[in-house]
Every structure is written in C-alpha cells, then in structure tokens.
C-alpha cells in the first residue's frame, strides 16, 4: 500500500506569506506526527494527533504555527507570516496505534522542503 | 527532562570495517527505542526497535542494537560496513504502551571510505 504522502515536496515562499503543508497518512493509521528538521539538525517535534485531536502540541514554536486533522485522515500544517527561520524540511509521520497496545513504529513521509526568501 | 544524545556528529569508517554508533537517552518512563536511517533526499526508514525482551535486537540491512538499561544506552552496530550505508542515523525514544511523540537525537552522519 501507499506510504505517508506529503505535498508539496518543495515550497519557496516570500517572507510574510502564509503556507500550507499537507500530509496524507497511511490508511488506518490513527496517530500522526509533524516534525521539523533544520539543515544539519535532528528532528524537532511539533505536534501529535490521535485521531483528530491533538493531545500534544507542545512543540509548535509560535502562534504562527497551527495544524489540523480531518478525522483519521489528512492533516495540514499552516505557517502564517513566514519568517526566514521557518526554512526547514517538515516531516510527517503516522503510526498504527491500537487501544491498549504498543506505540508502534512511525512511518515517515519524504518531507516538504520549505524555503522562505 | 526527556532527551536523546548522540555524541558523535560525524563518523568515517572504511568499507568492511565494523561500526558502532552511540546513543544515550534520558526518559522518565519505560522507553521504546528506535534507530532510523535517512539517506540523502530521502525520508526516515526504521532500522530496528526495542521495547522489551532480549536486549540485543536485530534490524534490517545487517544492523543490530543493544539496550543497556544501567547505562541508558542503545548503541547501533554493524560488523561490516558497506559503501551504501553512508547516511544519517537517528536514535529516538518514545513512550511505551501509549501514543506520543518520539524524541530524536541530533543524528550521526556516517561516511564510508573505500
């Protein structure tokens, strides 16, 4: 079956503009994660969804960042009034979490490379 | 505080030599540990994972990792490195038996020389 799909794969935007990044998780995966990876850095957690609720949004760096998820499907990460420090690869992952079961592995998408000029 | 430390930013090994990548973690609950690999321009691929049982786990591509609770370590090893193993390697820790975020280390870049 298909893996985690992210779009666009690359996005160049002008400083101050808003951007929307999309993530299509693997069908049936209830958990969805957004991470940010700056050049040469590790993965920085942004937000985690279980279904369409977000139990942990502690990693969102500012109120310019928001995310939503429709049911157990598509998620969008929105960055308003982009700044140059927002330039990074934004990675989405999903995992199959069964009630009372283990936190199974997270499958990652290819990422969206965002460049703010 | 929850954290993952990969002390080596960059490692170079000769093809055919053995490899060990270090990972130390700090986690308040029972950890669920992972190693991922990221090749240039690619997403992250899971190499192996550990949550209980035998502390030596086998993964894909000939990799293995050993969990040492007393040292809070989960080091990745491979007996003989291939040129195609050149990539970035990330160690991660997550909660056991519940959903939640994975915390990643900064990564170790592996270069393989002929």
């Amino acid at each position: 079956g298909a893996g985690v799909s992210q779009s666009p794969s690359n996005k160049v935007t002008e400083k101050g503009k808003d951007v929307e990044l999309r993530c299509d998780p693997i069908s049936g995966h209830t958990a969805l994660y957004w991470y940010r990876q700056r050049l040469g850095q590790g993965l920085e957690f942004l937000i985690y969804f279980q279904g369409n609720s977000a139990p942990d949004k502690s990693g969102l760096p500012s109120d310019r960042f928001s995310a939503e998820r429709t049911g157990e499907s598509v998620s969008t990460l929105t960055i308003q009034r982009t700044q140059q420090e927002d330039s990074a690869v934004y990675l989405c992952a999903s995992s199959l979490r069964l009630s009372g079961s283990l936190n199974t592995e997270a499958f990652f998408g290819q990422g969206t490379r965002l460049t703010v000029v | 505080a929850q954290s993952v430390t990969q002390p080596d930013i960059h490692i170079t090994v000769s093809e055919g030599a053995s490899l060990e990548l270090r990972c130390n973690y700090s986690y308040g609950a029972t950890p669920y540990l992972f190693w991922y690999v990221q090749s240039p321009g690619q997403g992250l691929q899971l190499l192996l994972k550990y949550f209980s049982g035998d502390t030596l786990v086998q993964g894909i591509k000939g990799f293995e990792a050993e969990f040492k609770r007393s040292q809070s370590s989960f080091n990745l090893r491979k007996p003989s490195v291939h040129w195609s193993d050149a990539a970035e390697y990330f160690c991660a820790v997550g909660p056991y038996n519940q959903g939640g975020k994975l915390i990643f280390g900064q990564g170790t870049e592996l270069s393989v020389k002929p």
Side-chain angles (χ1 to χ4, degrees):
Chain A
V4 177
S5 178
Q6 293 187 245
S7 61
S9 55
N10 280 283
K11 175 72 176 178
V12 180
T13 189
E14 291 182 353
K15 177 181 173 182
K17 295 286 180 68
D18 297 352
V19 295
E20 270 192 6
L21 312 180
R22 177 187 169 104
C23 173
D24 281 277
I26 294 173
S27 178
H29 280 197
T30 59
L32 186 147
Y33 312 79
W34 283 99
Y35 286 84
R36 178 170 70 177
Q37 186 178 24
R38 290 191 167 120
L39 186 64
Q41 302 293 312
L43 276 73
E44 178 187 4
F45 170 78
L46 298 179
I47 187 169
Y48 155 66
F49 286 93
Q50 181 60 37
N52 63 2
S53 67
D56 189 348
K57 54 180 82 170
S58 62
L60 293 177
S62 75
D63 59 7
R64 296 187 296 106
F65 287 72
S66 63
E68 62 179 26
R69 187 180 185 195
T70 306
E72 294 183 350
S73 185
V74 172
S75 174
T76 56
L77 176 69
T78 302
I79 308 173
Q80 296 178 307
R81 305 181 303 280
T82 51
Q83 304 294 313
Q84 288 185 328
E85 63 262 27
D86 299 334
S87 296
V89 176
Y90 289 82
L91 290 164
C92 176
S94 69
S95 65
L96 178 63
R97 177 180 173 243
L98 303 175
S99 176
S101 183
L102 301 171
N103 182 17
T104 57
E105 68 178 275
F107 293 83
F108 281 82
Q110 298 289 308
T112 294
R113 182 176 298 278
L114 175 66
T115 303
V116 181
V117 297
Chain B
Q2 300 171 343
S3 65
V4 176
T5 301
Q6 293 179 246
D8 304 306
I9 295 173
H10 190 191
I11 285 182
T12 300
V13 299
S14 298
E15 190 168 17
S18 64
L19 170 71
E20 182 169 27
L21 302 183
R22 295 183 291 164
C23 172
N24 292 94
Y25 67 90
S26 173
Y27 203 70
T30 303
Y32 195 2
L33 294 155
F34 305 81
W35 274 99
Y36 283 86
V37 61
Q38 186 179 38
S39 298
Q42 301 294 310
L44 275 78
Q45 181 183 23
L46 181 71
L47 285 175
L48 46 78
K49 59 189 177 185
Y50 172 81
F51 56 88
S52 68
D54 192 345
T55 56
L56 184 64
V57 293
Q58 303 298 319
I60 63 171
K61 305 184 179 185
F63 285 92
E64 65 179 28
E66 185 172 13
F67 171 63
K68 293 185 177 180
R69 185 184 300 277
S70 62
Q71 298 177 18
S72 297
S73 69
F74 188 56
N75 294 349
L76 182 71
R77 301 196 294 247
K78 186 169 184 178
S80 177
V81 169
H82 187 263
W83 64 267
S84 60
D85 293 325
E88 187 95 21
Y89 291 80
F90 292 95
C91 180
V93 62
Y96 172 80
N97 203 27
Q98 61 179 308
K101 65 187 179 188
L102 297 181
I103 300 168
F104 284 82
Q106 292 297 301
T108 297
E109 183 180 358
L110 174 65
S111 297
V112 180
K113 58 183 182 183

